[in-house]
Every structure is written in structure tokens, then in C-alpha cells.
Amino acid sequence: MDRSFVVIKEIGDCGIIYANGYLNGLGAERLEEECEQLLREGIKKIVVNFKKTELINSIGISVLIGIIEKVRSAGGHLGFCNLEKVHAETFEMLGFTKYVPIFPSEEEALISMEKRPPYRGRASRKEGSDG
Amino acid sequence: MDRDDLSKKRLLFNLAALIDLGEEITSDKDFKGVIKSSLYLIMGTLSASRGAILEYEGGRLQFLASKGLEGEERAIDLLPEELTFLRSHNQPFLFESSSLFLEGRQKWEALLPVLVAPMIVKKEFIGLITIGKRFTGEAYTQEDMDILSVMAKHIGTGIYNHNLLLSLSQKVEENRRLYTELQLVYYDTIQALAAAIDAKDDYTKGHSRRVARYCVALAEELGLSREEIEAIRIAGFLHDVGKIAIDRSIINKPSKPTKEERMELNQHPLISYEILSKVRFPWKEIPLSVRYHHERVDGKGYPDRLTGDKIPLLAKIMAVADAFDAMTTDRPYRKRLSIDEVFREFEREMGKQFDPRVAEVLLRRLKKELAGEVKERRLLMDEGMEEGPSLRRLYLRRIN
Ligand SMILES: [Fe+2]
């Protein structure tokens, strides 16, 4: 049974992906597909909102790693927001936080994407994909 | 989070992945989907950005699933010496350190493997799992290799089983045996994790294993169904998983806990429930029976102060099994009880702490085992079977 449902919104030059439901099955792949689609459309700033995420297991993690890699190699910028504590801790444990900035709210993520010079994580420098 | 928190978190994360994988492989979902999910589970667990599962057939490796490849999936022809090499490795190894691939490594380019795990079932080479670099660039650890090893065994057995089912000429009997083996792998995994939980607690080594064993013995005596017995076995193994979130110094304190510490300790059934309710078990009763394993039939237990009629039977069984283990093992601040004291304690607490029917079944079984009237001792374990105290040695000596 698939209980993930992805919603996409575009604000300015930024795409927001809502990772709703359960990121614990192959259904979570839609996240990655939507992200690819946004990148293809030339939208290089992507925020993933976890406000309505119920559960993330290793399958979900592998999909999120896929997203990080795709945005990285497209030279884009990625941010996560509205993470529950348990998920934030998982991301910290896995080292995500060193590569993706985490914002308490969508507004803050958008402000950062818009105003600040684009995020330059260690990863994107290492891959040389950040310009 | 400090390092201890991180390692607990990591343990729980791996635990959930292993349980998910066990369920995935034994599910009746379509084969392609199962293999793909399995690959994603491994990659998520190891934080890998590239990986593949390949099946060996007619001299070449065919793709069953892949993610994050550099280029497209193209079958890989194996040289005879490569095949010999892979056949003789039933543990994951580092691709770089295997000189074998120095020639003709071009064919591995799309995979860019860092770790390679051959899948071998019944001495038959089933295929390979390849894992690319970690997305953070950090090196893989021995723990990662261990997890990959268990997961590769699961998946290899799953593929082998699937292929057997495909060839209709195979005997039904063989399939049934393999299914049983697959279940054993699943239990092995859960047992390994239970041991990891117990390892956090210096004074109760082997506690989860023993409680699982006692639970099964009681459930059998009570005539529960096979399904319920499987459920309580798993629940027994994992009932104290919540202790992982409690400060080690409290758990291992060599004296009676203070009121505050007691309150924190009493959180563990709730934490266990929180953790286990997020895992998709084939048995739905597991999380709740774990939550209620410290309830008392007189309503004075925790965390929900349920009374007898509200407590599920599996939780009542677990309460008796848990208490029996507590009574029969030494604790830092008191010695284990004598067998007479155990009897007295259960008799006194019938209808108070314990469900009378379950407590009675325990005492009945205990009497039978003491009198040597059973084929296999479950409560008074045979020597050398388990780590931890051998109750048989401790108590039977008294009788004989
Ligand atoms: Fe407990």
C-alpha cells in the first residue's frame, strides 16, 4: 500500500516539494521524479517541505540522497524545512545537515533561497558543480 | 546529540531497516518491486548514492535493480576466474582491494562499486550487490559491512526462492523448507538486534532472548495459535527496545533507582511502543503488547494503569515472562530468588500483578520441568544453550 503523496508548488524561481505521508516505499520515488522534472524545467532552487511527513525509513532516505545528488550535479540549491525533531535527528546522524541547510519554516527557506547568495555547501564545491 | 545518542539512533535506524527488509522479502508483492525496495533499503541504510542488484545467469550478471548509475544498465560478462573469485566470497569485500577486477574494469564503470557483496545460497552463486560511494564521501565501516552481509543473505535467499517458485518442476516440499529458512534468517536478524539492545544493559545480558523464550513457552501452554506465538516471540525479543533511549547510567546503576530515575525508567514501554508502532510487522499485536508489558491486572501498573480486562493477553504473558526473568537473575542490588520464593511470589501476586491464568500456567510448567516431565526445558534452560545464567544448573541441583 502506498501512502505517500507528493505536492509541488512553484514560488518565483523556487520549487517546493511537499513530501507528504509515508516515505517508506517505492512510492517515495515520486519525490525524486518531481525534483528531476523541476530541474529539467530550469528550476534550480528546490525546497523540500516535511511538514506532513509521517515516517521516513531507509527507502525514503535513499530517495532523499538521490535528490541531493541530482540537485548537486545540476548545480542547484536545495533546502529542507519543517522537519520534526525525530527526522531532524536522523538527518543529523546521516550527515545530511552538512550538505543541506535546514530551515524551521518554508518562509525562512524561501527568504534564504531568494536573498542570500546561493547556498554553497562543501559537497557542491567538492563536486565542482556549483560554478 | 552526543556520541552515545548517535550510536543509539544508528542502531535503531539499522534495526528498522533490517526489519523492513525481512518483511519486504517475505511479502507476496511482485518480485521486481521487492528487489528494488530491498536495494533502496540497503542504500538508505548505508547512505550510498549508487547501487545495484545483479543476478548471475548463463555466464553474465543481469540487472535486477539499480539506482544512481553512471550511464545505463548493461549486463556484465564474467571471466571464469572472476566467477571463481566471487563464488569463494560469501562476505562483502572492498572492490578496490580485489585485484581481480584490475583487468577489464571498464565493464564495472557504470556501477563504480566500493563494496561488493556476492549472494551465495546453498553454495550456489546467485548474484551480486554492488554499493557505490557514500554520499558524504566517508569510508564504510565494519558495521556497514556487517549490515550489508545480513541484507545480502536475505536478498540472496529471496531471489533463490523466487527462482525456485518460478520453475514449477520443483517440489513443493523444497519451497516450504526454503520459506522456513527465510523465516529463520528473519529471526536471526531480530535476535542479533535483541542482543544489541541487551548489550546496553550490563546487568541483564540475554534478558530479551530469555523473555522471548519464556513467552513462547507460556503461549504454547495456553494453546495460542501459531500466528500469536510468532508475534509474542518477536515482541519478547524487542519489548525493552525503549530502554535504548534511557540514560545508560540509570539503567546500569548498581543501587535502587531514585523516584525520578524510576519515573524515567518507567517511560520505556511507551518508548518501545513509539518505536515499534513505526515498524510494519506482519503481526499487528506487537506494538500494543509491548506497551502494556508492565501493566498489572489490579490497575497499579504503568504506563496506562489498565486493569485486567483491558490488558491484551499477549501483554499479560509478557509481564509474567519478564517478571520471571527478573526474579531468576541476579540484579545489582539483590540476589536472584530461590525457587520457593519464585513460587511464593507468583502465588501472592496472582490477581494483583499477574493474570491468575497466566501465572498458573507458568507455575504448572515450572513444576513439570522441575519434575523432569517435559521433553524440552523452556523455563529452566539446558546448559550451554544461552548466554546468561543456566537456570537448569541453578535450580535443578536443588531438586536432585
Ligand atoms: Fe520492560
Side-chain angles (χ1 to χ4, degrees):
Chain A
M1 186 175 53
D2 220 326
R3 292 183 292 178
S4 67
F5 44 108
V6 177
V7 182
I8 305 293
K9 199 159 87 182
E10 288 176 29
I11 295 184
D13 61 347
C14 189
I16 306 162
I17 303 177
Y18 296 86
N20 295 350
Y22 290 72
L23 306 186
N24 67 348
L26 289 180
E29 268 196 307
R30 273 241 4 240
L31 272 183
E32 204 172 334
E33 287 159 18
E34 295 294 349
C35 172
E36 278 176 279
Q37 182 60 32
L38 286 171
L39 290 169
R40 265 199 301 275
E41 289 169 11
I43 293 174
K44 299 275 171 87
K45 293 177 182 175
I46 293 173
V47 173
V48 185
N49 187 329
F50 293 90
K51 191 171 181 183
K52 290 189 182 161
T53 308
E54 304 275 350
L55 173 65
I56 308 178
N57 79 347
S58 289
I59 297 184
I61 294 297
S62 77
V63 166
L64 293 175
I65 290 174
I67 290 180
I68 294 174
E69 294 281 7
K70 290 209 161 98
V71 176
R72 183 193 271 180
S73 61
H77 308 286
L78 181 65
F80 290 164
C81 70
N82 293 75
L83 273 162
E84 248 178 67
K85 186 163 170 270
V86 54
H87 299 145
E89 284 177 359
T90 304
F91 288 7
E92 187 191 334
M93 172 196 79
L94 295 170
F96 279 21
T97 40
K98 287 184 230 152
Y99 297 83
V100 184
I102 295 187
F103 303 98
S105 69
E106 194 179 297
E107 292 71 43
E108 279 157 278
L110 288 173
I111 289 166
S112 158
M113 286 280 172
E114 231 171 281
K115 286 189 182 162
R116 272 198 281 158
Y119 169 65
R120 289 167 169 278
R122 272 199 276 158
S124 35
R125 266 208 301 279
K126 194 158 64 193
E127 294 281 321
S129 58
D130 215 39
Chain B
M1 288 189 293
D2 65 24
R3 277 192 53 184
D4 202 30
D5 285 340
L6 274 175
S7 75
K8 281 176 191 165
K9 185 100 189 156
R10 163 65 65 184
L11 183 67
L12 282 177
F13 183 69
N14 291 347
L15 165 111
L18 283 166
I19 293 173
D20 281 357
L21 183 71
E23 203 213 322
E24 198 64 53
I25 296 283
T26 41
S27 80
D28 49 11
K29 276 193 267 176
D30 78 297
F31 181 65
K32 272 259 158 191
V34 167
I35 297 300
K36 200 171 178 189
S37 302
S38 305
L39 176 66
Y40 285 21
L41 276 169
I42 296 181
M43 290 175 64
T45 307
L46 301 179
S47 303
S49 44
R50 180 178 297 122
I53 298 181
L54 304 111
E55 185 178 17
Y56 179 71
E57 218 187 338
R60 50 191 354 210
L61 292 165
Q62 310 269 11
F63 278 84
L64 289 180
S66 73
K67 180 165 170 61
L69 287 198
E70 201 73 18
E72 50 190 274
E73 294 183 352
R74 203 174 293 152
I76 297 173
D77 290 314
L78 282 185
L79 301 170
E81 58 266 34
E82 288 174 330
L83 185 59
T84 315
F85 177 85
L86 291 171
R87 274 207 173 114
S88 62
H89 283 74
N90 64 355
Q91 287 296 322
F93 58 86
L94 289 166
F95 181 77
E96 281 302 325
S97 65
S98 63
S99 55
L100 202 77
F101 301 120
L102 284 178
E103 262 190 10
R105 65 187 300 143
Q106 206 182 342
K107 64 188 177 191
W108 303 95
E109 221 139 64
L111 294 165
L112 286 176
V114 173
L115 297 179
V116 178
M119 294 178 285
I120 292 161
V121 180
K122 303 202 175 304
K123 301 207 171 91
E124 192 182 317
F125 175 57
I126 306 296
L128 280 188
I129 299 176
T130 68
I131 298 295
K133 71 169 176 57
R134 214 199 277 279
F135 94 101
T136 58
E138 285 166 59
Y140 291 110
T141 62
Q142 187 56 47
E143 194 186 345
D144 294 323
M145 305 271 266
D146 292 345
I147 295 239
L148 178 59
S149 168
V150 173
M151 288 184 151
K153 284 201 176 70
H154 263 211
I155 296 168
T157 313
I159 296 172
Y160 185 84
N161 200 8
H162 172 76
N163 290 347
L164 269 191
L165 284 168
L166 275 189
S167 58
L168 292 168
S169 59
Q170 292 292 338
K171 289 184 222 88
V172 178
E173 192 49 40
E174 171 114 45
N175 289 337
R176 193 177 299 143
R177 212 183 66 228
L178 265 164
Y179 182 73
T180 314
E181 276 169 28
L182 198 53
Q183 290 231 311
L184 286 179
V185 176
Y186 185 49
Y187 287 134
D188 281 352
T189 311
I190 291 195
Q191 286 193 33
L193 291 158
I197 296 163
D198 288 346
K200 296 255 154 195
D201 189 340
D202 295 346
Y203 294 103
T204 57
K205 289 241 156 69
H207 170 70
S208 304
R209 292 175 69 105
R210 292 193 300 271
V211 168
R213 192 181 166 87
Y214 303 152
C215 281
V216 169
L218 294 174
E220 283 177 358
E221 288 284 318
L222 282 159
L224 299 193
S225 71
R226 251 193 73 181
E227 290 287 294
E228 286 169 309
I229 292 172
E230 294 318 322
I232 201 165
R233 191 201 306 272
I234 305 289
F237 275 125
L238 299 176
H239 73 284
D240 271 347
V241 68
K243 283 200 177 158
I244 230 159
I246 289 167
D247 200 329
R248 254 189 109 143
S249 63
I250 298 180
I251 293 176
N252 292 326
K253 205 180 162 199
S255 55
K256 262 211 151 86
T258 64
K259 204 174 160 222
E260 289 72 33
E261 290 166 341
R262 170 69 33 213
M263 272 168 65
E264 187 170 346
L265 273 172
N266 288 1
Q267 291 292 310
H268 81 270
L270 269 182
I271 303 168
S272 298
Y273 170 77
E274 290 294 328
I275 292 166
L276 298 178
S277 58
K278 299 219 161 113
V279 177
R280 293 171 300 162
F281 286 106
W283 304 280
K284 300 283 163 273
E285 307 86 339
I286 291 176
L288 271 184
S289 50
V290 166
R291 178 181 178 127
Y292 299 138
H293 80 273
H294 283 292
E295 295 293 349
R296 299 167 50 110
V297 292
D298 62 8
K300 291 182 185 159
Y302 59 90
D304 297 284
R305 300 184 132 261
L306 297 186
T307 47
D309 50 328
K310 300 278 187 336
I311 308 171
L313 179 60
L314 295 192
K316 288 173 174 168
I317 297 173
M318 228 184 291
V320 168
D322 196 18
F324 178 68
D325 189 61
M327 289 177 207
T328 52
T329 43
D330 290 333
R331 290 295 156 97
Y333 45 87
R334 59 141 182 80
K335 279 250 164 241
R336 68 173 170 274
L337 306 188
S338 73
I339 197 79
D340 296 332
E341 285 168 325
V342 171
F343 270 91
R344 245 176 293 150
E345 185 72 15
F346 275 104
E347 272 154 14
R348 197 180 58 221
E349 291 293 332
M350 266 183 207
K352 292 180 199 157
Q353 183 177 354
F354 306 117
D355 180 274
R357 188 160 70 109
V358 181
E360 221 147 312
V361 160
L362 174 93
L363 296 183
R364 195 172 70 209
R365 171 93 199 179
L366 209 47
K367 277 180 202 153
K368 272 198 264 178
E369 293 197 12
L370 285 166
E373 287 168 7
V374 288
K375 257 196 267 153
E376 192 193 347
R377 289 195 180 87
R378 294 286 181 76
L379 302 175
L380 305 173
M381 283 172 288
D382 288 320
E383 283 177 58
M385 279 196 65
E386 311 270 337
E387 76 263 23
S390 164
L391 289 180
R392 185 191 180 195
R393 197 176 53 228
L394 293 174
Y395 291 129
L396 288 187
R397 194 187 294 145
R398 191 194 146 271
I399 295 283
N400 295 337

PDB file of all heavy atoms in Angstrom, chain B residues 294-296 298-306:
ATOM      1  N   HIS B 294       4.207  -3.800  31.300  1.00  0.00           N
ATOM      2  CA  HIS B 294       4.361  -3.505  32.727  1.00  0.00           C
ATOM      3  C   HIS B 294       3.044  -3.105  33.379  1.00  0.00           C
ATOM      4  O   HIS B 294       3.022  -2.541  34.472  1.00  0.00           O
ATOM      5  CB  HIS B 294       5.402  -2.406  32.945  1.00  0.00           C
ATOM      6  CG  HIS B 294       6.813  -2.887  32.813  1.00  0.00           C
ATOM      7  ND1 HIS B 294       7.388  -3.759  33.708  1.00  0.00           N
ATOM      8  CD2 HIS B 294       7.747  -2.640  31.867  1.00  0.00           C
ATOM      9  CE1 HIS B 294       8.626  -4.018  33.332  1.00  0.00           C
ATOM     10  NE2 HIS B 294       8.875  -3.368  32.205  1.00  0.00           N
ATOM     11  N   GLU B 295       1.929  -3.363  32.702  1.00  0.00           N
ATOM     12  CA  GLU B 295       0.626  -3.140  33.342  1.00  0.00           C
ATOM     13  C   GLU B 295       0.378  -4.271  34.332  1.00  0.00           C
ATOM     14  O   GLU B 295       0.930  -5.370  34.192  1.00  0.00           O
ATOM     15  CB  GLU B 295      -0.479  -3.109  32.277  1.00  0.00           C
ATOM     16  CG  GLU B 295      -0.381  -1.948  31.302  1.00  0.00           C
ATOM     17  CD  GLU B 295      -0.638  -0.577  31.941  1.00  0.00           C
ATOM     18  OE1 GLU B 295      -1.098  -0.531  33.098  1.00  0.00           O
ATOM     19  OE2 GLU B 295      -0.359   0.441  31.272  1.00  0.00           O
ATOM     20  N   ARG B 296      -0.432  -3.983  35.343  1.00  0.00           N
ATOM     21  CA  ARG B 296      -0.790  -5.002  36.338  1.00  0.00           C
ATOM     22  C   ARG B 296      -2.298  -5.204  36.288  1.00  0.00           C
ATOM     23  O   ARG B 296      -3.035  -4.253  36.052  1.00  0.00           O
ATOM     24  CB  ARG B 296      -0.408  -4.524  37.748  1.00  0.00           C
ATOM     25  CG  ARG B 296       1.063  -4.265  37.967  1.00  0.00           C
ATOM     26  CD  ARG B 296       1.254  -3.493  39.278  1.00  0.00           C
ATOM     27  NE  ARG B 296       0.544  -4.105  40.376  1.00  0.00           N
ATOM     28  CZ  ARG B 296       1.143  -4.736  41.403  1.00  0.00           C
ATOM     29  NH1 ARG B 296       2.461  -4.801  41.468  1.00  0.00           N
ATOM     30  NH2 ARG B 296       0.424  -5.280  42.363  1.00  0.00           N
ATOM     31  N   ASP B 298      -4.329  -5.459  38.591  1.00  0.00           N
ATOM     32  CA  ASP B 298      -5.048  -4.647  39.580  1.00  0.00           C
ATOM     33  C   ASP B 298      -5.039  -3.153  39.227  1.00  0.00           C
ATOM     34  O   ASP B 298      -5.506  -2.323  40.003  1.00  0.00           O
ATOM     35  CB  ASP B 298      -4.472  -4.879  40.986  1.00  0.00           C
ATOM     36  CG  ASP B 298      -3.008  -4.461  41.102  1.00  0.00           C
ATOM     37  OD1 ASP B 298      -2.483  -3.847  40.140  1.00  0.00           O
ATOM     38  OD2 ASP B 298      -2.395  -4.749  42.145  1.00  0.00           O
ATOM     39  N   GLY B 299      -4.493  -2.817  38.059  1.00  0.00           N
ATOM     40  CA  GLY B 299      -4.546  -1.423  37.609  1.00  0.00           C
ATOM     41  C   GLY B 299      -3.463  -0.535  38.187  1.00  0.00           C
ATOM     42  O   GLY B 299      -3.469   0.678  37.987  1.00  0.00           O
ATOM     43  N   LYS B 300      -2.500  -1.132  38.897  1.00  0.00           N
ATOM     44  CA  LYS B 300      -1.454  -0.303  39.507  1.00  0.00           C
ATOM     45  C   LYS B 300      -0.160  -0.284  38.689  1.00  0.00           C
ATOM     46  O   LYS B 300       0.889   0.121  39.177  1.00  0.00           O
ATOM     47  CB  LYS B 300      -1.147  -0.826  40.916  1.00  0.00           C
ATOM     48  CG  LYS B 300      -2.291  -0.578  41.882  1.00  0.00           C
ATOM     49  CD  LYS B 300      -1.915  -1.058  43.271  1.00  0.00           C
ATOM     50  CE  LYS B 300      -3.095  -0.941  44.232  1.00  0.00           C
ATOM     51  NZ  LYS B 300      -2.924  -1.820  45.391  1.00  0.00           N
ATOM     52  N   GLY B 301      -0.245  -0.757  37.463  1.00  0.00           N
ATOM     53  CA  GLY B 301       0.960  -0.801  36.635  1.00  0.00           C
ATOM     54  C   GLY B 301       1.170   0.489  35.852  1.00  0.00           C
ATOM     55  O   GLY B 301       0.519   1.495  36.115  1.00  0.00           O
ATOM     56  N   TYR B 302       2.068   0.442  34.884  1.00  0.00           N
ATOM     57  CA  TYR B 302       2.324   1.605  34.046  1.00  0.00           C
ATOM     58  C   TYR B 302       2.510   1.143  32.600  1.00  0.00           C
ATOM     59  O   TYR B 302       2.771  -0.041  32.389  1.00  0.00           O
ATOM     60  CB  TYR B 302       3.562   2.363  34.550  1.00  0.00           C
ATOM     61  CG  TYR B 302       4.847   1.579  34.579  1.00  0.00           C
ATOM     62  CD1 TYR B 302       5.701   1.548  33.468  1.00  0.00           C
ATOM     63  CD2 TYR B 302       5.233   0.852  35.708  1.00  0.00           C
ATOM     64  CE1 TYR B 302       6.889   0.818  33.508  1.00  0.00           C
ATOM     65  CE2 TYR B 302       6.412   0.121  35.743  1.00  0.00           C
ATOM     66  CZ  TYR B 302       7.235   0.111  34.637  1.00  0.00           C
ATOM     67  OH  TYR B 302       8.405  -0.595  34.676  1.00  0.00           O
ATOM     68  N   PRO B 303       2.394   1.999  31.622  1.00  0.00           N
ATOM     69  CA  PRO B 303       2.170   3.455  31.707  1.00  0.00           C
ATOM     70  C   PRO B 303       0.695   3.847  31.748  1.00  0.00           C
ATOM     71  O   PRO B 303       0.396   4.976  32.086  1.00  0.00           O
ATOM     72  CB  PRO B 303       2.786   3.973  30.406  1.00  0.00           C
ATOM     73  CG  PRO B 303       2.626   2.847  29.430  1.00  0.00           C
ATOM     74  CD  PRO B 303       2.661   1.578  30.227  1.00  0.00           C
ATOM     75  N   ASP B 304      -0.249   2.977  31.443  1.00  0.00           N
ATOM     76  CA  ASP B 304      -1.637   3.407  31.270  1.00  0.00           C
ATOM     77  C   ASP B 304      -2.547   2.991  32.414  1.00  0.00           C
ATOM     78  O   ASP B 304      -3.738   3.268  32.375  1.00  0.00           O
ATOM     79  CB  ASP B 304      -2.182   2.884  29.933  1.00  0.00           C
ATOM     80  CG  ASP B 304      -1.427   3.451  28.745  1.00  0.00           C
ATOM     81  OD1 ASP B 304      -1.660   4.612  28.415  1.00  0.00           O
ATOM     82  OD2 ASP B 304      -0.560   2.755  28.189  1.00  0.00           O
ATOM     83  N   ARG B 305      -2.011   2.301  33.433  1.00  0.00           N
ATOM     84  CA  ARG B 305      -2.785   1.845  34.581  1.00  0.00           C
ATOM     85  C   ARG B 305      -4.050   1.094  34.157  1.00  0.00           C
ATOM     86  O   ARG B 305      -5.133   1.303  34.693  1.00  0.00           O
ATOM     87  CB  ARG B 305      -3.157   3.031  35.493  1.00  0.00           C
ATOM     88  CG  ARG B 305      -1.929   3.750  36.020  1.00  0.00           C
ATOM     89  CD  ARG B 305      -2.279   4.863  36.988  1.00  0.00           C
ATOM     90  NE  ARG B 305      -1.467   4.798  38.203  1.00  0.00           N
ATOM     91  CZ  ARG B 305      -1.862   4.268  39.348  1.00  0.00           C
ATOM     92  NH1 ARG B 305      -3.077   3.773  39.466  1.00  0.00           N
ATOM     93  NH2 ARG B 305      -1.059   4.235  40.391  1.00  0.00           N
ATOM     94  N   LEU B 306      -3.894   0.232  33.165  1.00  0.00           N
ATOM     95  CA  LEU B 306      -5.033  -0.562  32.708  1.00  0.00           C
ATOM     96  C   LEU B 306      -5.359  -1.626  33.748  1.00  0.00           C
ATOM     97  O   LEU B 306      -4.478  -2.089  34.464  1.00  0.00           O
ATOM     98  CB  LEU B 306      -4.701  -1.263  31.388  1.00  0.00           C
ATOM     99  CG  LEU B 306      -4.393  -0.406  30.172  1.00  0.00           C
ATOM    100  CD1 LEU B 306      -4.245  -1.295  28.943  1.00  0.00           C
ATOM    101  CD2 LEU B 306      -5.471   0.629  29.936  1.00  0.00           C
TER     102      LEU B 306
END
